[in-house]
Amino acid sequence: IGSSADDSALALKVDQTGTFVYLSGYTRGSLFSPSLGNADAFLVRLYASNGSIETSRQFGTSANDYGSTFVLPDTAVGPIQVGAETDRMIGTYEIGNLHVFRFQPSNLEPLGSLLVQTFSRESVTGLVTHPKFPGTLFSCGQSWLDEINGWDISFKSLTGSTGNMLNIGRRNISVIDLAPPQYAKRYGSQNYRQDRPTSMLAIPSSGWILVGGTTSGAMGAVPQTSDSQNFIAAIDPRTGKLGYVAQEP
């Protein structure tokens, strides 16, 4: 699978039946449809048995849209939700805003999108839903604050905002406008350290959401011993409060 330009697949998942494989990422060319300009996000569904393409979508805005992660629905009627970092201007920030696109599972028809103004430049590395919090989408990513604090971890709860979405770009919200139980949080080590989340997992039995990644600082009680150490952080999805952090010695 490829176009004449750069193409990057960043997330892969298999559906509950084992029939289909889904890929998401971004392209700078006309991978599945004519380019919308700059980088476009994409979602493609392939047959698990032979890898042939069943359905595909290329989407985004006229700015850069770096599709990076997605979440499949728990039921056949729930939407597929794709997260992208977009350069489309909203509010103060022109780069690194979170754009969530929704698609019908049966045919990948677009259901609209939600554009969320973020703290600063951010990437999105994880999207999950949680069976104990139906209708809520949780996201995590890497967020730049300033030269003192460096790159931190961002974590958001979007309850209800992902429903009733209209055309792409029609629904814009800011993290400062999130009303409870919605919220936006930052976590990280201090003194210009790099904290990079790479994966996200909901644990139905305990209720926690786990975020894993690497840090060049001290995320937990373990002192920093190298420029890159793995960590796992447990987050309470009700409030966004950090429960505990385990960092490799």
Side-chain angles (χ1 to χ4, degrees):
I1 302 173
S3 69
S4 58
D6 293 336
D7 309 300
S8 296
L10 300 177
L12 180 151
K13 293 181 182 179
V14 181
D15 72 352
Q16 293 179 342
T17 66
T19 305
F20 295 112
V21 175
Y22 292 80
L23 288 174
S24 71
Y26 66 91
T27 177
R28 294 191 179 275
S30 299
L31 183 58
F32 299 114
S33 59
S35 174
L36 298 170
N38 296 302
D40 296 338
F42 71 79
L43 177 67
V44 57
R45 180 165 61 204
L46 307 96
Y47 289 102
S49 58
N50 57 20
S52 62
I53 296 175
E54 193 265 351
T55 312
S56 63
R57 294 289 173 186
Q58 182 172 331
F59 51 93
T61 67
S62 58
N64 286 310
D65 299 282
Y66 300 104
S68 55
T69 186
F70 65 98
V71 58
L72 297 176
D74 295 329
T75 65
V77 297
I80 298 172
Q81 302 183 91
V82 181
E85 174 192 345
T86 182
D87 288 354
R88 183 176 181 272
M89 173 66 117
I90 55 172
T92 305
Y93 307 116
E94 184 175 358
I95 55 177
N97 292 293
L98 170 63
H99 208 160
V100 179
F101 299 84
R102 303 179 89 199
F103 298 90
Q104 182 67 248
S106 59
N107 54 11
L108 298 191
E109 281 295 317
L111 296 175
S113 71
L114 178 70
L115 192 57
V116 185
Q117 179 182 323
T118 55
F119 290 107
S120 59
R121 183 180 180 94
E122 291 190 6
S123 64
V124 53
T125 56
L127 289 179
V128 298
T129 55
H130 199 296
K132 290 189 176 183
F133 305 92
T136 301
L137 180 68
F138 300 95
S139 73
C140 74
Q142 193 178 31
S143 175
W144 171 262
L145 184 58
D146 53 41
E147 293 186 357
I148 296 177
N149 294 279
W151 289 95
D152 291 337
I153 299 164
S154 64
F155 185 85
K156 300 181 185 67
S157 166
L158 302 172
T159 303
S161 295
T162 53
N164 192 31
M165 291 195 294
L166 304 175
N167 295 326
I168 288 175
R170 288 286 300 278
R171 294 226 37 223
N172 301 343
I173 63 172
S174 167
V175 294
I176 62 175
D177 296 328
L178 296 179
Q182 301 179 97
Y183 55 77
K185 302 288 185 179
R186 298 180 67 101
Y187 323 102
S189 52
Q190 298 179 346
N191 300 324
Y192 194 58
R193 298 300 182 182
Q194 296 272 350
D195 304 308
R196 185 184 302 273
T198 57
S199 58
M200 193 177 183
L201 179 66
I203 308 297
S205 58
S206 67
W208 292 102
I209 290 179
L210 301 183
V211 175
T214 61
T215 179
S216 62
M219 281 286 294
V222 178
Q224 175 196 2
T225 58
S226 69
D227 289 337
S228 181
Q229 294 175 269
N230 296 316
F231 73 85
I232 297 177
I235 299 171
D236 185 343
R238 295 170 298 179
T239 61
K241 183 178 180 180
L242 195 63
Y244 64 86
V245 177
Q247 183 171 325
E248 69 174 344

